[in-house]
Structure formats: structure tokens, C-alpha cells
Amino acid sequence: MRHLRRKLAFYLVALWAAVTVNFLLPRLMPGDPVDALLSRMQQTGGAVSPEARQALEVMLGSGGQENLAAQYLTYLGNLLRGDFGVSATYFPTPVSTVLTQSLPWTLVLVGLSTVVSFVLGVTLGALVGWRRGRWSDALVPATTFLAAVPYFWLALVLVFVFGATLGLFPLTGGYDYGLEVGFSGPFLASALHHGLLPAITIVLSSVGTWLLGMRNMTVSTMAEDYVLTAQAKGLRPRRVLVTYAARNAVIPSLASFAISLGFVVSGSIVTEAVFSYPGIGFTLLQAVQNNDYPLMQAVFLVITLAVLGANLLVDLLHAVIDPRTRQTGGR
């Protein structure tokens, strides 16, 4: 219990620090979301009175005449009530509605892509490590090259080849315009068609990391006494690989996988921007471009909570797997 209380206290302090930095960073950026919104309104011929400007300042959380400390207290109070304010980018839509609309797209796309790349990478890595020195070792440099290629370049190449040239996939968007969002057959088929190419981009870019790490751990594990003993007993190679070698070699990858799941909610900003995919990464990019303080803060907060939660889960799992991590290190 002492270990658990210590960990929870540490993560609560980390959460407070992250919330404070989350409040300060957007306000240190140049520009004002109210000015950006008023500029768009004036382009459409709308006139804005000083009273309307003051109301927009309060609504968008830019502070108006309040000092930074007063803005911080107001921000914390709204945060405790679950009020993230109104988005300047999607005005007058509340930030909570924008998150509700964009977060599921990212969770499905990036979440499934992360799981697929992890399963594919550790499976291929275990097989390559088990059969090291054979032709399968050629997968290591090939996948490592794909992992080293920048996301945006690989995404642009796939868009050009499979979208613009061959016409197999749509170039932008998350579904065909005109379809109603829901669990209908046409919408789900359209969403799958639009999300397949971004998913392939994410898998190709990340599978090499899992493969290389699992391959090296499998090679190292095969030299352990328990694996050599299993082989000396005459057990089938498949059983030795799955039960003894891969089962122990995958433990470091599982810790990294748990942490990577925490970053799923942040989306793949570059990939979503290239494909104009309506996920949280694309939403964050739009918020930054429009100095949308409330939306940026809400997105950062969701990312912070997910990452801290994933790290806390990994720490607790380490404490269960290795009891030595629960020791204080002193007498």
C-alpha cells in the first residue's frame, strides 16, 4: 500500500504540473483567438461591438482584462466542472462536442493500427529471431528503413500511388460526404475505405520498431538456460518458441506497448493532416493554426491523462512482475 500511495502522489503532482503547463503554453503563443474569430466574422460582413468582443473573450477563455492568475483560477474551476469552453475554430460549438466528434476517429484508426503493428511486429520478430541467420533476416533492414522514413513522406507516397494514380483509395476525409454518421452499413463501409490507407501508413511506419526489438530479445532469450533445457528435453521447436522464448522476450515490448497506447489519443498528427482525417490530431492542428486556447487545452489534457494513466499502469505491472521495484532502496 505504501508503494501504491507513493506512486499515486507522484502522478497527482505530475498531473497538476501538466495542467499548469497546459494553461500557460497556449497563452505564451503569439496571437489572440478572439482576433482570429473576429477577422473571420468581418470577412463575412459582420460588425462586432465592443460588448460583443468582451463576451467573446469571456466565452473563449482568453481572459479579457483578467490577469494571468485570475485566468488560471477560472481555468481550474471550469476544469473541475468539466467545462472546456467554446471552440474558436468551430465556433460556437463547445469544445466537449468537438472532442466527442473527433476522438472516436482517432481511437479506431490509431488504436487498431497500433495493435496490428504490435502483434505483427512481435510475431515476425520472434520468428526472425528464432530463425536468425536465414533469409528472414532480410525483414529487419526492410522494416527498419520504413520506420526511418518520415511519416509525411510515406503518407504522401501512398496517397500519390494508391490514391491519385491507381484510384484505389480516397484522397482525403473520413467518409463520403452526404452519408449520415452512424452504424449503418454504407457509412461503416465508407469509413473503412477512407481509413485503410492512413492505417497502412501507420502500420508500415511502426512495425519495424516492434520487429527489431522483439528479434533482439528473442535471440538473447534463446541463450538462457531454461530455453536450452527445454530444447535438451526434446520439446517441439514450436512449443519452445511460444512457451519459453517468445513468452519471456515479449515482456519489454509489452511495457513499451502499454506506454504507446497512452499516446493513441494524441493521434498521428502528420498522417491525419496529410489525409485530412477527422481525428484528434487534425483537430489539434486546426486549433494551433487558429490560436484556439480552449480546444488546445482540452486536447492536451486528454493526451496528458492518457499518457499518465498508461505510465501508472506500467509501473503497477512492474511492481507485480518484479517485487524488487516496490522496495524503497534504503533502510
Side-chain angles (χ1 to χ4, degrees):
M1 290 298 296
R2 180 183 299 177
H3 174 76
L4 179 60
R5 288 195 299 268
R6 190 166 61 247
K7 286 294 181 182
L8 290 177
F10 170 80
Y11 280 100
L12 285 176
V13 173
L15 177 61
W16 171 79
V19 168
T20 303
V21 173
N22 185 27
F23 167 81
L24 291 175
L25 281 181
R27 285 163 173 76
L28 296 178
M29 297 174 60
D32 190 336
V34 176
D35 292 335
L37 180 58
L38 292 179
S39 177
R40 290 199 298 270
M41 295 175 64
Q42 291 173 356
Q43 290 176 358
T44 59
V48 180
S49 63
E51 293 78 10
R53 178 185 177 88
Q54 184 177 2
L56 288 175
E57 289 176 344
V58 175
M59 184 180 299
L60 297 177
S62 63
Q65 301 299 323
E66 290 185 342
N67 57 35
L68 198 61
Q71 293 182 43
Y72 181 64
L73 293 177
T74 302
Y75 168 72
L76 291 180
N78 293 335
L79 198 63
L80 292 175
R81 293 193 300 269
D83 181 10
F84 298 108
V86 177
S87 171
T89 306
Y90 303 94
F91 185 85
T93 306
V95 171
S96 58
T97 302
V98 177
L99 291 179
T100 303
Q101 294 173 348
S102 59
L103 191 57
W105 292 93
T106 292
L107 291 178
V108 173
L109 173 66
V110 184
L112 289 179
S113 300
T114 302
V115 172
V116 169
S117 63
F118 172 76
V119 174
L120 185 61
V122 297
T123 302
L124 293 177
L127 294 175
V128 172
W130 182 260
R131 300 176 178 272
R132 66 189 185 281
R134 303 185 183 182
W135 63 269
S136 55
D137 273 341
L139 289 175
V140 175
T143 55
T144 303
F145 170 77
L146 291 175
V149 173
Y151 264 34
F152 72 91
W153 189 86
L154 181 59
L156 290 174
V157 170
L158 293 179
V159 167
F160 174 76
V161 174
F162 296 100
T165 304
L166 299 178
L168 298 177
F169 298 99
L171 299 179
T172 60
Y175 57 94
D176 293 332
Y177 293 106
L179 293 177
E180 184 178 355
V181 178
F183 290 98
S184 62
F187 172 77
L188 294 177
S190 177
L192 178 62
H193 191 207
H194 280 75
L196 194 55
L197 197 57
I200 293 174
T201 303
I202 297 174
V203 171
L204 289 179
S205 299
S206 56
V207 70
T209 303
W210 300 116
L211 188 151
L212 182 60
M214 186 63 181
R215 187 261 182 195
N216 293 339
M217 284 303 303
T218 302
V219 172
S220 176
T221 304
M222 287 174 58
E224 298 291 338
D225 293 338
Y226 54 85
V227 176
L228 298 177
T229 302
Q231 291 175 327
K233 288 181 178 179
L235 298 180
R236 290 181 300 174
R238 187 176 185 180
R239 183 180 178 185
V240 175
L241 170 62
V242 176
T243 307
Y244 294 91
R247 182 178 180 180
N248 291 277
V250 78
I251 293 177
S253 297
L254 285 176
S256 300
F257 176 66
I259 295 176
S260 67
L261 287 179
F263 288 94
V264 164
V265 296
S266 66
S268 181
I269 296 178
V270 176
T271 303
E272 292 182 8
V274 170
F275 292 96
S276 296
Y277 195 79
I280 200 72
F282 183 73
T283 301
L284 177 59
L285 180 62
Q286 296 294 314
V288 172
Q289 291 175 345
N290 292 282
N291 294 317
D292 192 344
Y293 293 168
L295 185 54
M296 279 190 287
Q297 290 171 333
V299 173
F300 290 151
L301 180 62
V302 171
I303 295 173
T304 299
L305 291 175
V307 173
L308 289 177
N311 279 273
L312 176 60
L313 178 62
V314 171
D315 282 346
L316 295 179
L317 287 177
H318 280 174
V320 173
I321 296 173
D322 187 359
R324 293 174 298 178
T325 59
R326 297 198 296 264
Q327 299 177 359
T328 58
R331 295 184 178 181

